[in-house]
Amino acid sequence: MAFDPIQEDCLRLILQGMRREGIFPLDDASFIEHGMEQFRTDPSKLITCDADRSFHLMAKATEILDYRLPFLTDEVQVDRQEMQAENYLREAVDLDASNWDARRMLAALDSPTNDAYVSYLLDNREAVERDLLATVDAANDAYSREYASDLARRPLLRWFAATASRAVIAGQYRLALQTVEESLAFAPADPAGIRHSGMLALAKLEASHQDIKQYRARHAISYGTAGPLRRRHHMTEKSLDAWTLLAELSVFYRSFDYTSADRTLHQLMRAYPNAAEPLLYQAEFPDGLFCRVNVVPGSQDELILAISEATPLLQEGLGTPDNACFAAWIANHRFIKSAMEDHAPRTPGRAGLTGSGGDN
């Protein structure tokens, strides 16, 4: 569902190593395994050009910004780490001006507002597309064609994903949906998980339950659901992700269909382990700057990420005294309270024992 910058860095460097040494076919398992071991021990030995060095620095910046900073509490450490990441990104751009990931991440850090960042993404998208087209046109051997068919396409996919997710935050829901549709037409399998931003935008545009079903059906490849070549047994339960379930929950809540809303909330809590606490506290995390952060599908981390991204949806009704907001309705729901009570710490003592038996 998300791009792993370290894995991508490794793949790029191994492919370059294959080119240098004339390794073919490109799925040579022993060479790939050796390259991965080299990358683990000392990736600098695999870096031979500015473009590779640039991407490597950008991957190091991503480790800091997306996977370390959100969990630091010491402000001095936060400032130091952020400065180091920013220096990595600036050096990456100096080494390779076509490193659009690094340029985009720098713009995210430098933009004074989210709206300004969205404008930057829209203004520079054509340049990203032109660079990709030039790379594809120049691919004249097996190595460059392999790169052009996958790795070279990823910066544009991340550009689409950043535009859609930030457009949702900016309240530009139609822009978000349009961007999602363009991205999924370009890459139907959706390695960036942009479909989830589209689902949230759809819900904010007051979609119906049928609209959501049609959206998923239209993008069956990205959801991995039943289609013309995929048949699901009629008794098999649908496996819905947290973004879809939160969107459906919003639809039912907004239309005062509390029976269906209860059922959907129950489904969400069954689909994700220990869901009550994340649904109660609804913590917000900063968006990943490289792309959506990596989480295990179906895990509690995925639910936490979805809830954070769904903040614009959860805040519906906020500030209207006669109507409790959607977030409060979820947090105060009897399902949540019951689950929290069931997992509350027991009173210290000899729980489970009765009578006056002695200690062992």
Side-chain angles (χ1 to χ4, degrees):
M1 189 183 73
F3 295 110
D4 182 337
I6 305 304
Q7 180 192 66
E8 192 166 330
D9 187 23
C10 181
L11 290 173
R12 289 169 57 102
L13 293 175
I14 290 174
L15 182 60
Q16 285 290 72
M18 286 181 159
R19 180 198 294 274
R20 287 193 301 274
E21 299 187 30
I23 302 297
F24 197 84
L26 298 180
D27 58 355
D28 186 311
S30 61
F31 186 89
I32 293 171
E33 185 176 350
H34 177 67
M36 291 174 67
E37 182 57 33
Q38 277 191 305
F39 185 85
R40 279 192 292 268
T41 55
D42 186 4
S44 64
K45 292 182 179 179
L46 297 172
I47 299 172
T48 60
C49 65
D50 285 349
D52 289 345
R53 174 67 177 166
S54 175
F55 193 93
H56 184 68
L57 287 168
M58 186 273 302
K60 291 174 68 173
T62 300
E63 276 193 285
I64 295 172
L65 294 169
D66 289 355
Y67 295 93
R68 197 178 305 163
L69 275 187
F71 304 102
L72 293 179
T73 55
D74 186 299
E75 289 300 323
V76 174
Q77 277 291 330
V78 168
D79 291 342
R80 184 180 298 129
Q81 292 282 302
E82 192 171 50
M83 183 177 297
Q84 183 180 27
E86 188 170 340
N87 288 338
Y88 283 152
L89 291 174
R90 295 196 185 283
E91 185 178 352
V93 172
D94 288 342
L95 288 169
D96 180 12
S98 66
N99 185 337
W100 286 105
D101 286 308
R103 292 176 66 169
R104 175 176 53 79
M105 293 169 71
L106 268 178
L109 292 175
D110 293 341
S111 295
T113 64
N114 185 66
D115 286 341
Y117 181 44
V118 172
S119 295
Y120 168 85
L121 294 170
L122 294 174
D123 291 343
N124 289 275
R125 175 177 145 178
E126 286 187 11
V128 184
E129 292 172 328
R130 282 197 302 271
D131 274 7
L132 172 57
L133 184 59
T135 298
V136 172
D137 288 344
N140 56 8
D141 58 52
Y143 309 100
S144 56
R145 284 193 293 269
E146 175 69 18
Y147 176 74
S149 69
D150 180 15
L151 294 172
R153 294 161 57 93
R154 297 185 183 189
L156 178 57
L157 291 174
R158 290 189 278 267
W159 204 275
F160 282 134
T163 304
S165 65
R166 292 305 185 102
V168 170
I169 295 171
Q172 300 185 50
Y173 308 123
R174 296 194 185 282
L175 169 63
L177 264 181
Q178 177 187 335
T179 305
V180 168
E181 295 292 348
E182 291 169 342
S183 180
L184 293 177
F186 179 69
D190 190 24
I194 195 174
R195 62 190 180 277
H196 300 312
S197 296
M199 182 64 74
L200 297 178
L202 197 65
K204 286 298 291 183
L205 289 168
E206 300 189 354
S208 67
H209 180 60
Q210 187 62 29
D211 292 333
I212 289 175
K213 288 178 64 176
Q214 289 174 351
Y215 175 84
R216 286 181 63 92
R218 191 164 64 251
H219 301 300
I221 294 175
S222 67
Y223 280 103
T225 54
L229 300 179
R230 279 180 173 166
R231 300 296 182 187
R232 190 204 313 274
H233 191 277
H234 72 282
M235 294 299 290
T236 304
E237 185 179 3
K238 290 182 180 179
S239 178
L240 298 180
D241 57 86
W243 290 267
T244 298
L245 290 167
L246 286 167
E248 290 193 336
L249 190 57
S250 170
V251 168
F252 296 132
Y253 169 79
R254 192 178 62 245
S255 59
F256 306 106
D257 182 356
Y258 295 116
T259 299
S260 296
D262 289 349
R263 184 178 64 249
T264 304
L265 179 58
H266 184 245
Q267 187 178 357
L268 179 63
M269 294 178 71
R270 282 193 298 115
Y272 289 88
N274 305 314
E277 189 169 345
L279 288 167
L280 173 64
Y281 293 111
Q282 301 172 19
E284 289 185 55
F285 291 94
D287 274 5
L289 293 187
F290 180 65
C291 201
R292 177 176 282 112
V293 298
N294 270 299
V295 290
V296 177
S299 66
Q300 187 181 48
D301 286 342
E302 182 180 74
L303 175 61
I304 291 170
L305 179 62
I307 291 170
S308 178
E309 291 184 9
T311 296
L313 196 60
L314 292 166
Q315 290 177 339
E316 287 179 349
L318 194 63
T320 53
D322 298 328
N323 185 28
C325 72
F326 184 35
W329 180 85
I330 292 176
N332 293 310
H333 197 281
R334 65 184 186 280
F335 292 168
I336 305 297
K337 290 182 176 180
S338 176
M340 292 298 292
E341 288 171 1
D342 289 344
H343 290 88
R346 293 181 180 271
T347 303
R350 301 173 63 207
L353 295 178
T354 59
S356 55
D359 294 331
N360 291 327

